[in-house]
Amino acid sequence: MSIHFRSRGVRAALMATVRATALAGAVTGAVGAGSAAAQAEPSRGQLLYGNHCIACHDQRMHWRDQRRARDWESLRNWVRHWQGTQQLQWTDADIDEVARHLNDTIYRFPKPQSPRA
């Protein structure tokens, strides 16, 4: 998987976080020997978000009282809205991946049982 970053600083910070997480898991034994490499790889959604969104939408944006995403579908719609505003030309799969990343790490909305979720 190849993701192009606008800023080396964003990529470096993201990869440092991934390495630190993998190292902490290996040291504490939380990550088994066979799965350490798999745990170290960020998801496509995490990479897209880190490259295109994090500069304006840090975690404070998602935790504020007046956040606009209220469920899984509205979260996907907001990801679609902002990628369109930025003219990123993401596919539906990219939008789903970023929404999944945000949902898994921040929102925790129940996902519908459809194939798109």
Side-chain angles (χ1 to χ4, degrees):
M1 168 181 348
S2 175
I3 303 293
H4 300 284
F5 289 86
R6 290 183 187 169
S7 157
R8 288 186 185 182
V10 170
R11 182 180 191 282
L14 181 61
M15 293 312 293
T17 300
V18 169
R19 283 192 296 273
T21 302
L23 179 60
V27 169
T28 63
V31 177
S35 65
Q39 291 286 333
E41 288 295 319
S43 70
R44 178 163 178 77
Q46 181 180 4
L47 292 171
L48 288 168
Y49 186 81
N51 187 42
H52 298 288
C53 310
I54 198 73
C56 298
H57 291 260
D58 63 7
Q59 276 200 343
R60 290 174 297 183
M61 171 67 71
H62 302 288
W63 286 108
R64 67 180 196 221
D65 290 335
Q66 297 163 348
R67 67 182 184 189
R68 294 186 178 173
R70 299 291 180 198
D71 55 27
W72 170 250
E73 195 60 35
S74 66
L75 176 59
R76 285 182 66 250
N77 288 336
W78 279 110
V79 172
R80 180 180 306 284
H81 167 80
W82 286 112
Q83 73 80 31
T85 298
Q86 295 301 309
Q87 300 177 347
L88 298 175
Q89 299 179 359
W90 286 351
T91 65
D92 284 342
D94 292 337
I95 292 165
D96 288 344
E97 287 294 321
V98 172
R100 186 174 296 113
H101 165 68
L102 290 171
N103 196 51
D104 290 347
T105 58
I106 297 170
Y107 290 97
R108 312 252 189 242
F109 296 132
K111 291 180 256 185
Q113 297 300 324
S114 72
R116 291 182 54 89

